[in-house]
Amino acid sequence: MLSPTVNTTRIRVPARLLLKGDVTGSNETVLGVSAGVATPRGKVEVFLEKAGRQRKAIWNAATIIVVRRDAAVPVANRGADEIPLSDRLPTFHELASFDAGKAWDRLSPEQQREIGVLALRFGTVGQCDEYFHETIEDVRKGFASSHWTPQVQATAVWPRLHIQLVASAAQSAFQDLCDHFDPLWPKLFGWQAREEVK
């Protein structure tokens, strides 16, 4: 789904895209959404308030939530120039024709370094997620490639705590990479001509 479904008073968004101030169907106001290190994979922590009482809920990141947004304007009635660059989503054509090399060249050396470090972290830690299991049988079921020798497979038997820490670190690395890209979209897609995106 490239953009939330919008009507005049309510919108449907995945839990990971909830914004501060959104009001859920139970009349709870969203105070914030986060995917902390301790949050299970694929879930987000949603901080809610109702009648002065606050609570934290853990929801699936992809769960569609119907919320009210005070300033919601139907997407059909908004032109691309009316949507702030920080809220705009790429079109299908922009995604299908995305040129990573050109986008990379638009970034400053500092931005390239930051993204490179985040990508390396995700590419190493994130790639290792789900390789490790508590028993050799589970390791062998989980390995998709037959070129891993039994000796190598045996190195993937880890204690549960270590497996959970790697999974959490992989999720955190992915989230950090995604969070870093969001404010750069105007520059990466060329919506903003050669200006620095802070």
Side-chain angles (χ1 to χ4, degrees):
M1 174 158 80
L2 289 179
S3 66
T5 304
V6 179
N7 66 30
T8 49
T9 57
R10 297 181 184 274
I11 61 171
R12 296 164 48 89
V13 295
R16 71 180 178 279
L17 298 180
L18 289 170
L19 298 177
K20 183 178 181 178
D22 285 347
V23 180
T24 66
S26 59
N27 287 322
E28 293 178 288
T29 302
V30 175
L31 300 176
V33 178
S34 113
V37 175
T39 308
R41 183 180 190 142
K43 298 189 182 284
V44 290
E45 293 176 348
V46 182
F47 300 92
L48 302 159
E49 178 184 33
K50 182 177 181 180
R53 301 186 79 192
Q54 296 182 4
R55 74 178 181 102
K56 176 179 80 171
I58 296 182
W59 292 344
N60 285 328
T63 298
I64 300 298
I65 310 293
V66 178
V67 296
R68 292 189 317 267
R69 283 193 181 152
D70 293 335
V73 176
V75 169
N77 297 343
R78 293 177 77 173
D81 9 343
E82 295 177 30
I83 300 172
L85 290 180
S86 58
D87 289 342
R88 182 177 165 189
L89 291 174
T91 63
F92 171 78
H93 177 71
E94 287 171 327
L95 284 175
S97 63
F98 182 71
D99 185 332
K102 284 183 182 175
W104 183 262
D105 292 341
R106 288 187 194 113
L107 300 174
S108 69
E110 295 81 16
Q111 290 168 327
Q112 290 174 348
R113 184 180 193 295
E114 288 173 21
I115 288 176
V117 168
L118 291 168
L120 283 173
R121 181 168 171 247
F122 174 67
T124 53
V125 177
Q127 185 175 212
C128 290
D129 187 23
E130 298 182 5
Y131 278 179
F132 305 101
H133 300 275
E134 292 182 77
T135 67
I136 192 66
E137 293 78 21
D138 289 338
V139 168
R140 290 185 177 136
K141 284 182 205 169
F143 272 69
S145 175
S146 59
H147 74 271
W148 293 77
T149 65
Q151 294 85 355
V152 171
Q153 291 176 5
T155 65
V157 177
W158 284 17
R160 177 185 299 256
L161 176 61
H162 293 180
I163 295 167
Q164 290 171 339
L165 289 173
V166 167
S168 180
Q171 179 185 355
S172 176
F174 176 69
Q175 191 63 49
D176 289 347
L177 189 59
C178 290
D179 290 346
H180 190 79
F181 271 85
D182 287 353
L184 290 176
W185 277 19
K187 184 174 250 188
L188 295 173
F189 284 102
W191 300 335
Q192 201 169 8
R194 291 266 173 214
E195 293 172 20
E196 282 302 308
V197 177
K198 300 292 181 193

